[in-house]
Amino acid sequence: MAFSSLTLVLPAYNEEARLGSALDELFGYLGRRGERGREGSPGSLELPADIRVLVVDDGSSDSTAALVRARPEMKPRKGAPRLDLMSLPHGGKGAAVRAGVLASDAEVAIFADSDMPTPPDEVPRILDALGDASVALGSRIQPDGRDMRGSQPPVRRWLGAAFHLLAAAWVTGDVKDTQCGFKGFRREAAHDLFARQQVTSIVFDAELIYLARRRGYRLAIVPIHWYDRRGSRMRARPGLALRVAWDLFRIPFLHRRVARLPLQDQAREGTSG
């Protein structure tokens, strides 16, 4: 299926040190409109003609917003991908992504981490998957079983494994990489799911997966390339661990009244039966 419009949502919090180079990479790829990308990966030629990159500044205290405003893509030439900025009070990554996706009227919305650990040439893979599914989940686990998170520090890998065990048993089922920050949604599914999202911490990914499964949307798992970008401000603190555990625990209770889509809507949206 060919889509006519795409919004890329990049949540950003105090990212002035990393955002500039990430936007250079992203707009460089989008502007080339080539058939092939890095090492034979998909090029941007087949991407929608209408592309919007929306940076959602999550109440940064540094110059993140000023950096975005100074970019030439804020005033693009006709037909070129455009850059927009949304500024919010600090509310967490989940709140920033929610606001950005709900502000999109494109046929497809994809959110990605603002430092672009997933290269932009993975965008076509998400779009391809959305030809048959309503939600496409990037996965750092490759078809041969390799896990691209192996380059992360050991503590983060251990915490991630513990989180996965809890999430799989309680919320997300057999989705093996719930926290990959590269997910795509058809417009109707995006507005339905993000309008229901209530968790704003890093657990919001798991909440979206829970909602998508409960609503009956067809999910596609898309193996993607991913590179660990050092400089993350997330630290393993007791307070964070408690917040994560609490948010994970309460997801089914927050959405206990959410109903499955009617059968006719499932057929229209490409959902599972």
Side-chain angles (χ1 to χ4, degrees):
M1 175 182 290
F3 298 104
S4 64
S5 56
L6 166 67
T7 296
L8 293 167
V9 176
L10 307 181
Y13 177 65
N14 289 345
E15 287 288 355
E16 65 174 343
R18 302 190 296 178
L19 183 58
S21 59
L23 290 175
D24 288 343
E25 180 184 9
L26 175 58
F27 279 98
Y29 171 77
L30 296 176
R32 283 192 291 273
R33 287 293 182 181
E35 293 185 3
R36 308 306 297 175
R38 168 190 50 84
E39 299 177 358
S41 59
S44 60
L45 183 63
E46 300 303 321
L47 293 183
D50 181 5
I51 300 178
R52 176 193 187 198
V53 177
L54 176 59
V55 176
V56 183
D57 178 26
D58 183 30
S60 298
S61 58
D62 65 1
S63 299
T64 294
L67 182 153
V68 175
R69 292 191 191 98
R71 298 280 308 190
E73 297 89 359
M74 290 287 287
K75 298 178 180 179
R77 63 186 185 279
K78 185 177 180 180
R82 67 188 186 276
L83 176 64
D84 287 328
L85 173 68
M86 174 185 288
S87 294
L88 302 174
H90 182 55
K93 182 180 178 181
V97 173
R98 178 179 61 200
V101 172
L102 290 177
S104 169
D105 61 357
E107 285 191 295
V108 171
I110 297 174
F111 73 79
D113 291 334
S114 59
D115 57 342
M116 298 303 294
T118 301
D121 53 25
E122 300 292 335
V123 169
R125 302 187 197 278
I126 294 290
L127 292 175
D128 286 346
L130 289 173
D132 297 314
S134 294
V135 178
L137 309 175
S139 176
R140 292 164 290 187
I141 301 173
Q142 303 304 298
D144 62 5
R146 289 181 299 116
D147 191 335
M148 304 203 78
R149 292 170 293 183
S151 60
Q152 287 185 318
V155 171
R156 290 199 67 173
R157 296 202 304 272
W158 297 334
L159 292 174
F163 176 87
H164 171 69
L165 288 174
L166 292 172
W170 186 243
V171 173
T172 58
D174 60 358
V175 177
K176 292 182 172 59
D177 185 6
T178 62
Q179 300 309 107
C180 179
F182 199 68
K183 294 179 173 69
F185 306 81
R186 290 196 201 179
R187 176 169 50 210
E188 291 80 5
H191 288 183
D192 178 33
L193 297 174
F194 281 89
R196 299 174 188 275
Q197 177 202 334
Q198 298 186 47
V199 173
T200 58
S201 70
I202 59 173
V203 183
F204 82 97
D205 296 84
E207 182 188 24
L208 290 171
I209 294 169
Y210 178 85
L211 281 168
R213 297 174 71 227
R214 190 168 179 91
R215 293 289 278 162
Y217 287 111
R218 182 176 298 156
L219 307 182
I221 306 299
V222 185
I224 50 94
H225 289 90
W226 179 88
Y227 302 93
D228 188 25
R229 307 287 198 198
R230 298 303 167 92
S232 170
R233 283 168 301 281
M234 191 181 75
R235 299 290 181 266
R237 302 183 303 269
L240 177 62
L242 289 173
R243 171 74 184 275
V244 165
W246 169 243
D247 281 344
L248 195 62
F249 172 76
R250 67 193 183 106
I251 286 171
F253 300 100
L254 290 172
H255 303 294
R256 62 188 179 277
R257 293 189 177 90
V258 171
R260 196 172 180 85
L261 283 169
L263 289 177
Q264 63 269 26
D265 290 338
Q266 290 183 21
R268 186 174 65 248
E269 288 301 307
T271 56
S272 57

